[in-house]
């Protein structure tokens, strides 16, 4: 299953093309910094800010094309012109909050973490040869990590934010600002360029060490465990670990791995650890060779499969119930996030006004259906059906079938693990690996819908004609060795 550009409006195609071009340009600067710091791995200012560069420029590019399209079609009265686009985009900021403020990156450890650190420091005194594990912001149950560490003879230390040591710092900073100049000129963006440069200087000042002394915190006998490198603390912790040749282990978030082909996976989780604890077997590039499942620098990452704990509780078999809406079956439509337009991946671009109109159209076609809004959604909208706000895992059992239009999500992995039918309307969001597209098609009842042309292609499904199966969950969420995430982690320590 792949995205079909025949169902995309021109503004979405133009946005995708520009973001793809943006990524190519950023990648070139990344490689320049890489060449500059050989043989030191990952000590790269472009890698440090890759996530933020892509978010800042992709969002502005997307908003530019959305507004041009609105103006061309005369969609709105003037007061509604900036609907879903009314917040200011700044480098290093989200929702008018500075990401790298003292309260964010220099926050003190809470009492519980301080106590754990103190306990393990005492143990280190009595067992000086024990190896240390430094914990970043990790999604695996921390209690289990501590328990297993004690049993296995490791000592835990929670880490506070430490500034990043950069080799050839001034030359790398020069490459970064040359890149920013190039992007500003290339995409002709209406931005406050002076403010952008000030924000980048401020970010560098708060994150990068201005001392030429080498960073001595970690060594090659120590282990660093991080969660998503989308979070700055994890990113810096990993890069400092690489600088001292420590073993850096990443722990994937979400509930699937290998179905979605996403640029953000590549420059975050795939590029900032030597070992990645994922989910099913096919998160491994060796079995599922999608370009976005490789590190930016081409270095092979060791992938370790494990079970998603949440999926394991839900999954029963590969057999899927038939859809039969002639009965009084109850459905749940699961919404994509509806906040101000914010973009990282080129394939996730859509004017949210059009999306909202599509939602109302879709919900009117089905009786006895409710809507599950995204947990991070801030704006609430009027629908004619019941709005569900509680956790999806808590309410899955209450429904006979699901409707979805966005698959690159934890929500899809969760509902795919059930034996209930899923109706998928492909409106051109997300991009899948070749294997992911194939197994998604086997799992769902689907059609392509052009929401820009009177919902052309829409089908109202009452039953499924083809028998459906769930090889998706076994491939992307469950390990064929049935290992839990915590056991998979400690097996490689």
């Amino acid at each position: 299953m792949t995205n079909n550009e025949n169902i995309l409006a021109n503004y979405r195609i133009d946005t995708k093309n520009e973001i793809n071009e943006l990524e190519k340009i950023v990648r070139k600067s990344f490689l320049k910094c890489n060449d500059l710091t050989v043989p030191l791995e990952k000590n790269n200012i472009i890698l440090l800010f890759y996530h933020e560069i892509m978010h800042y420029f992709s969002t502005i590019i997307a908003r530019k094309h959305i507004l041009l399209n609105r103006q061309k079609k005369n969609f709105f009265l003037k007061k509604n012109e900036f609907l879903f686009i009314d917040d200011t985009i700044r480098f290093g900021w989200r929702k008018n909050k500075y990401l790298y403020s003292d309260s964010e990156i220099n926050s003190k450890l809470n009492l519980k973490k301080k106590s754990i650190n103190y306990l393990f420091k005492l143990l280190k005194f009595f067992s000086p040869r024990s190896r240390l594990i430094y914990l970043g912001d990790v999604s695996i149950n921390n209690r289990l990590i501590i328990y297993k560490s004690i049993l296995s003879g490791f000592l835990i230390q929670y880490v506070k934010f430490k500034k990043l040591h950069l080799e050839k710092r001034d030359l790398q900073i020069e490459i970064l600002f040359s890149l920013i100049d190039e992007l500003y000129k290339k995409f002709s963006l209406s931005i406050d360029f002076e403010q952008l440069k000030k924000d980048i200087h401020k970010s560098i000042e708060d994150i990068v060490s201005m001392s030429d002394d080498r960073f001595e915190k970690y060594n090659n006998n120590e282990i660093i465990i991080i969660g998503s490198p989308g979070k700055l603390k994890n990113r810096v912790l990993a890069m400092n670990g690489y600088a001292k040749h420590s073993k850096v282990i990443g722990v994937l978030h979400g509930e699937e791995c290998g179905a979605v082909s996403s640029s953000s996976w590549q420059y975050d989780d795939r590029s900032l650890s030597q070992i990645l604890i994922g989910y099913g077997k096919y998160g491994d590039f060796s079995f599922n060779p999608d370009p976005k499942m490789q590190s930016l620098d081409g270095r092979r990452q060791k992938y370790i499969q494990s079970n998603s704990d949440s999926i394991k509780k839900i999954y029963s078999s590969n057999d899927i119930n038939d859809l039969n809406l002639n009965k009084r079956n109850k459905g749940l439509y699961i919404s994509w996030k509806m906040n101000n337009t914010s973009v990282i991946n080129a394939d996730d671009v859509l004017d949210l006004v059009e999306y909202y109109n599509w939602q109302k159209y879709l919900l009117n076609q089905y009786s006895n259906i409710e809507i599950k809004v995204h947990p991070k959604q801030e704006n609430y909208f009027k629908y004619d059906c019941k709005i569900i706000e509680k956790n999806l895992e808590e309410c899955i059992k209450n429904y006979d079938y699901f409707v979805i239009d966005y698959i690159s999500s934890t929500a899809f992995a969760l509902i795919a693990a059930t034996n209930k039918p899923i109706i998928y309307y492909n409106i051109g969001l997300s991009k899948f690996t070749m294997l992911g597209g194939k197994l998604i098609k086997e799992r769902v009842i689907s059609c392509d819908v052009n929401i820009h042309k009177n919902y052309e292609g829409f089908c109202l499904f009452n039953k499924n004609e083809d028998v459906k199966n769930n090889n998706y969950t076994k491939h992307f969420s469950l390990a064929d060795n049935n290992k839990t995430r915590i056991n998979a982690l400690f097996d490689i320590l």
Side-chain angles (χ1 to χ4, degrees), residues 275-479:
I275 301 168
L276 182 66
I277 309 294
Y279 296 102
K281 176 178 178 179
Y282 290 87
D284 191 331
F285 179 82
S286 302
F287 301 110
N288 188 9
D290 185 89
K292 300 303 183 185
M293 290 169 58
Q294 294 188 97
S295 173
L296 283 171
D297 56 14
R299 293 182 181 274
R300 185 60 64 89
Q301 184 184 48
K302 185 175 182 179
Y303 177 84
I304 306 295
Q305 60 175 303
S306 68
N307 285 335
S308 158
D309 297 334
S310 298
I311 299 297
K312 184 70 174 174
K313 292 175 187 174
I314 297 169
Y315 178 75
S316 57
S317 74
N318 273 24
D319 298 326
I320 306 300
N321 296 341
D322 287 334
L323 179 72
N324 185 358
L325 296 194
N326 294 321
K327 297 180 179 179
R328 185 67 175 164
N329 285 343
K330 188 176 179 183
L332 182 68
Y333 165 62
I334 301 169
S335 173
W336 189 37
K337 186 163 63 174
M338 292 275 284
N339 288 333
N340 281 304
T341 299
S342 179
V343 176
I344 291 181
N345 296 304
D347 298 283
D348 291 341
V349 173
L350 176 60
D351 185 343
L352 291 177
V353 172
E354 290 182 298
Y355 185 61
Y356 180 45
N357 290 335
W358 149 251
Q359 288 185 320
K360 290 187 289 185
Y361 170 84
L362 170 63
L363 291 168
N364 283 335
Q365 308 307 308
Y366 287 91
S367 60
N368 202 25
I369 194 167
E370 298 170 355
I371 180 171
K372 170 73 179 77
V373 295
H374 193 281
K376 293 183 180 178
Q377 184 163 303
E378 295 176 350
N379 304 310
Y380 292 93
F381 308 93
K382 292 182 179 179
Y383 299 101
D384 293 331
C385 62
K386 184 178 179 181
I387 298 174
I388 306 299
E389 297 178 23
K390 65 181 179 180
N391 188 290
L392 180 60
E393 289 182 64
E394 296 174 15
C395 61
I396 278 180
K397 62 182 179 296
N398 300 332
Y399 299 93
D400 301 298
Y401 71 97
F402 301 99
V403 179
I404 199 161
D405 50 30
Y406 181 70
I407 284 183
S408 303
S409 64
T410 295
F412 179 75
L414 290 170
I415 62 173
T418 71
N419 61 358
K420 299 178 182 183
I422 299 170
I423 298 170
Y424 169 52
Y425 290 105
N426 175 22
I427 58 173
L429 293 169
S430 304
K431 184 179 180 183
F432 313 116
T433 63
M434 189 177 295
L435 179 62
K438 175 180 179 293
L439 298 187
I440 289 166
K441 190 172 184 179
E442 292 176 5
R443 175 63 182 90
V444 302
I445 303 158
S446 67
C447 67
D448 297 345
V449 182
N450 190 332
I451 67 171
H452 314 289
K453 290 186 178 180
N454 297 318
Y455 312 116
E456 184 178 278
F458 179 84
C459 295
L460 179 63
F461 294 103
N462 288 302
K463 62 180 181 178
N464 50 298
E465 296 178 1
D466 300 327
V467 175
K468 296 299 173 182
N469 66 65
N470 186 16
N471 287 315
Y472 174 96
T473 295
K474 289 197 302 183
H475 280 67
F476 304 125
S477 297
L478 298 176

Side-chain angles (χ1 to χ4, degrees), residues 152-392:
S152 305
F154 291 98
L155 304 178
I156 290 288
Q157 288 291 288
Y158 285 99
V159 293
K160 293 197 301 180
F161 176 82
K162 299 290 182 182
K163 287 193 174 185
L164 176 67
H165 166 79
L166 277 181
E167 291 287 296
K168 300 181 180 176
R169 182 188 60 242
D170 293 342
L171 288 175
Q172 290 207 55
I173 291 172
E174 188 178 317
I175 291 172
L176 172 61
F177 278 101
S178 294
L179 168 64
I180 300 304
D181 284 340
E182 182 179 359
L183 296 177
Y184 175 66
K185 293 170 185 173
K186 170 74 177 177
F187 296 108
S188 304
L189 302 176
S190 298
I191 59 176
D192 186 337
F193 190 52
E194 291 306 312
Q195 183 63 56
L196 171 60
K197 290 190 289 186
K198 287 178 184 177
D199 287 341
I200 295 173
H201 274 296
K202 173 66 174 167
S203 298
I204 293 170
E205 179 183 310
D206 290 336
I207 299 168
V208 177
S209 172
M210 291 296 117
S211 168
D212 288 324
D213 296 335
R214 287 196 57 82
F215 193 82
E216 298 293 344
K217 181 66 178 174
Y218 311 107
N219 62 52
N220 59 11
N221 190 44
E222 294 168 341
I223 298 158
I224 293 171
I225 303 177
I226 65 165
S228 169
K231 296 181 178 180
L232 175 80
K233 290 180 182 178
N234 286 328
R235 210 179 312 158
V236 174
L237 178 58
M239 293 174 75
N240 277 330
Y242 268 97
K244 295 305 297 178
H245 308 290
S246 302
K247 180 187 283 189
V248 181
I249 301 172
V251 178
L252 205 63
H253 63 293
E255 306 298 339
E256 70 82 22
C257 186
V260 177
S261 179
S262 169
S263 296
S264 59
W265 288 121
Q266 183 173 30
Y267 56 74
D268 282 342
D269 299 85
R270 295 290 179 170
S271 287
L272 278 159
S273 61
Q274 296 129 357
I275 301 168
L276 182 66
I277 309 294
Y279 296 102
K281 176 178 178 179
Y282 290 87
D284 191 331
F285 179 82
S286 302
F287 301 110
N288 188 9
D290 185 89
K292 300 303 183 185
M293 290 169 58
Q294 294 188 97
S295 173
L296 283 171
D297 56 14
R299 293 182 181 274
R300 185 60 64 89
Q301 184 184 48
K302 185 175 182 179
Y303 177 84
I304 306 295
Q305 60 175 303
S306 68
N307 285 335
S308 158
D309 297 334
S310 298
I311 299 297
K312 184 70 174 174
K313 292 175 187 174
I314 297 169
Y315 178 75
S316 57
S317 74
N318 273 24
D319 298 326
I320 306 300
N321 296 341
D322 287 334
L323 179 72
N324 185 358
L325 296 194
N326 294 321
K327 297 180 179 179
R328 185 67 175 164
N329 285 343
K330 188 176 179 183
L332 182 68
Y333 165 62
I334 301 169
S335 173
W336 189 37
K337 186 163 63 174
M338 292 275 284
N339 288 333
N340 281 304
T341 299
S342 179
V343 176
I344 291 181
N345 296 304
D347 298 283
D348 291 341
V349 173
L350 176 60
D351 185 343
L352 291 177
V353 172
E354 290 182 298
Y355 185 61
Y356 180 45
N357 290 335
W358 149 251
Q359 288 185 320
K360 290 187 289 185
Y361 170 84
L362 170 63
L363 291 168
N364 283 335
Q365 308 307 308
Y366 287 91
S367 60
N368 202 25
I369 194 167
E370 298 170 355
I371 180 171
K372 170 73 179 77
V373 295
H374 193 281
K376 293 183 180 178
Q377 184 163 303
E378 295 176 350
N379 304 310
Y380 292 93
F381 308 93
K382 292 182 179 179
Y383 299 101
D384 293 331
C385 62
K386 184 178 179 181
I387 298 174
I388 306 299
E389 297 178 23
K390 65 181 179 180
N391 188 290
L392 180 60

